[in-house]
Amino acid sequence: MKKRESNRLKSIVGNAFNRKIRQYLENMKKEYIKEYKTEPKYNNKQFRADFEIELKNGVLIVIDNTTTIRNDRVNQKQFIAYGVKKHFEAEGKTVKFFVVVPNKEKIGTKKTREKEIKTIERMKTKIKDKKYESFIDDILYLDELLEILKK
């Protein structure tokens, strides 16, 4: 498969994942979510995430999605999380920043799934380790995000 075709397919999968999350957020709006924004931008548009969610209990959550995960992608998202948190800190607000990935049976491709899950689990452990500097609060599978939104 040519690189251009591969990138096009990745874009299609990523856009479908964003639509799926948007649909979940819309369905949860009445009961759990006060409001949400798609593709919010922060600090003079330097930092962009996929969704900003304000829960009815006042908790503010920013999520950035990815359908595959690699160390370099997590490092990129760390920088985005840093900028987002600095933005809200300047406003006197606290925000949770999560990277959201598809559920285990949907992550990556059949060929890469096992490796992707191992990378996710390793990064989740690293993020929770107090010796590791992380601006990402957690990497969540989609079902984990939905549970957090319902709390």
Side-chain angles (χ1 to χ4, degrees), residues 33-143:
I33 296 172
K34 180 178 177 182
E35 68 176 326
Y36 71 91
K37 299 174 187 172
T38 58
E39 298 187 6
K41 295 171 180 70
Y42 308 96
N43 296 350
N44 298 314
K45 300 181 181 181
Q46 183 178 2
F47 302 99
R48 186 196 69 76
D50 290 309
F51 296 95
E52 178 185 310
I53 307 160
E54 183 179 353
L55 300 180
K56 289 194 173 183
N57 65 10
V59 172
L60 200 55
I61 297 172
V62 173
I63 64 172
D64 206 11
N65 318 330
T66 185
T67 55
T68 60
I69 200 128
R70 298 181 318 266
N71 288 328
D72 63 325
R73 183 160 296 150
V74 173
N75 289 337
Q76 171 197 15
K77 293 189 183 297
Q78 285 283 5
F79 183 66
I80 294 167
Y82 170 81
V84 168
K85 288 192 171 202
K86 283 295 187 186
H87 168 82
F88 284 103
E89 187 181 286
E91 294 182 353
K93 297 178 182 176
T94 303
V95 65
K96 292 285 187 181
F97 188 99
F98 299 122
V99 173
V100 179
V101 296
N103 293 325
K104 288 182 181 181
E105 67 277 4
K106 300 282 187 181
I107 189 78
T109 65
K110 287 180 184 178
K111 183 179 174 184
T112 65
R113 188 161 296 134
E114 190 175 313
K115 183 178 179 183
E116 299 253 3
I117 290 170
K118 284 180 183 178
T119 301
I120 291 166
E121 296 304 322
R122 187 177 65 250
M123 294 306 296
K124 285 171 78 69
T125 300
K126 213 174 184 183
I127 286 168
K128 291 175 186 169
D129 185 346
K130 299 297 179 206
K131 296 179 214 163
Y132 183 76
E133 182 74 30
S134 179
F135 300 99
I136 296 170
D137 291 289
D138 205 350
I139 297 173
L140 302 173
Y141 293 103
L142 179 57
D143 284 345

